[in-house]
Amino acid sequence: MTLKTPCSGCRDGASLDFHISMAFQPIVDLKTGLPWAYEALVRGADGASAAAVLGQVTEDNRYAFDQRCRVAAIERAVAAGIVETGARLSINFLPNAVYSPAACIQLTLRTARATGLPLDRLMFEFTENERMDDPDHVRTIIDSYRAMGFTTAIDDFGAGHAGLNLLARFQPDVIKLDMELLRGIDASLPRRMIVEAVVGLCARLGIRVIAEGIETPAELDAVRSLGVDLVQGYLLATPAFERLPAIVLPDDGVTARAA
C-alpha cells in the first residue's frame, strides 16, 4: 500500500478548522492507589463530546486532527499539573494518519520539550477498532515508538477487527481490555476464564494489562483477583474537562488525588 503524505500546508495541524480540548481520566495502580497514567480524551473547546468532535474528522483533515490532538493533550495535561504527579500521559492516535513515525512525531516532541513533560512519560494507544489499511505499517509505528522510549498500547482489546491475531502481528507494552468483556465479570465464569487466559498470555509476552470501564466494586475485586493491577473506570474517577480528577478507591474511600 502506498501511504499518502500530507501536504506541507496541513502539517502541525494548521489546516484544522475546528477547535478541540481534552478531558482526563486516570489509570490507577491498585498496588499504590496512585495514578499510573492519565488518558487524554478529546472534547470540543466548549466541552462537547468526543462523538461530536470525531464526527468532523475526514480523510482530508485526519492528519491535522491527529497532530492537534497530541498538542492539546500535552498542553492541557501539563497545565492541569500532570508533571507533578509522576504519571504517564496516554494519547490516542490514529495509525492511518501517521505517514512516517519519525516525521510525524516531531511536533509532539517539540511540544513536550516546550512544556517540560518528560518524553519517557508519553504513552500512545490506538484502538483495535481503528481500521488498519496496512497492519505492517502499524507494526512499524509501534516498533518505532518503542525504540524512541515511549509506552505503546492497544485500546479496546477483545473487540473490533482482530483480537489475539493482533498480538501475533505486533506486541505493544500494554493492552487495555475492552469494557464489554469486563462488564459483569464478577458474575460470569466465561468472562473470568477469558480474562484469566489473556492476563496469563500477556505475562508471558511481557505485556501489562489494563482493565478499563470498571464500574462496580465487584468488577474491581474480580479483575484484581485475576492479577490485573492497572484499572480505569467510572468507579475510580470520571473524566474531568481540562483537569485531573480525584481518584477514590472504594475499598477504603481514600482520595488518592485531590481534584
Side-chain angles (χ1 to χ4, degrees):
M1 172 185 172
T2 301
L3 294 169
K4 181 179 178 182
T5 300
C7 64
S8 59
C10 70
R11 291 181 182 171
D12 292 2
S15 70
L16 200 65
D17 59 1
F18 57 92
H19 299 288
I20 63 172
S21 189
M22 292 285 159
F24 298 96
Q25 186 179 29
I27 298 167
V28 182
D29 186 340
L30 296 179
K31 292 181 178 179
T32 65
L34 298 174
W36 183 81
Y38 286 92
E39 181 180 359
L41 303 165
V42 68
R43 297 288 187 267
D46 58 354
S49 69
V53 175
L54 293 171
Q56 302 178 71
V57 179
T58 66
E59 289 297 327
D60 291 336
N61 66 20
R62 180 182 296 270
Y63 175 83
F65 174 74
D66 184 71
Q67 292 286 299
R68 184 72 63 82
C69 282
R70 296 164 182 245
V71 171
I74 294 170
E75 291 181 343
R76 299 295 189 278
V78 171
I82 195 171
V83 174
E84 292 77 15
T85 70
R88 295 165 177 79
L89 173 62
S90 183
I91 301 174
N92 291 275
F93 77 98
L94 303 175
N96 295 332
V98 179
Y99 67 94
S100 165
C104 295
I105 199 67
Q106 294 306 310
L107 178 61
T108 305
L109 297 178
R110 292 199 301 271
T111 305
R113 288 168 178 148
T115 58
L117 180 66
L119 298 181
D120 61 1
R121 283 167 56 185
L122 287 172
M123 173 169 149
F124 293 95
E125 59 179 271
F126 72 95
T127 177
E128 190 181 356
N129 287 304
E130 171 73 6
R131 178 175 57 88
M132 287 184 287
D133 294 327
D134 187 348
D136 289 336
H137 179 59
V138 176
R139 178 175 182 173
T140 297
I141 296 171
I142 289 178
D143 289 346
S144 297
Y145 280 8
R146 294 185 75 182
M148 294 176 195
F150 308 137
T151 303
T152 60
I154 297 174
D155 194 11
D156 298 329
F157 186 83
H161 296 291
L164 295 177
N165 185 52
L166 207 61
L167 290 184
R169 286 183 175 271
F170 36 77
Q171 293 76 50
D173 300 293
V174 176
I175 65 165
K176 300 178 72 177
L177 296 175
D178 182 67
M179 65 178 65
E180 291 304 317
L181 179 61
L182 300 171
R183 188 63 60 244
I185 187 174
D186 53 294
S188 172
L189 179 59
R191 292 176 188 271
R192 289 178 63 92
M193 293 178 68
I194 291 169
V195 170
E196 183 177 30
V198 171
V199 170
L201 173 63
C202 286
R204 291 191 291 275
L205 290 172
I207 298 172
R208 298 200 69 174
V209 175
I210 296 172
E212 64 177 343
I214 298 300
E215 295 184 353
T216 69
E219 290 174 349
L220 180 65
D221 289 342
V223 297
R224 180 158 43 190
S225 71
L226 295 173
V228 179
D229 53 30
L230 296 178
V231 175
Q232 182 177 13
Y234 281 18
L235 178 67
L236 303 179
T238 57
F241 184 60
E242 296 185 345
R243 65 182 178 85
L244 307 182
I247 298 170
V248 177
L249 302 177
D251 289 348
D252 52 19
V254 174
T255 300
R257 163 82 189 175

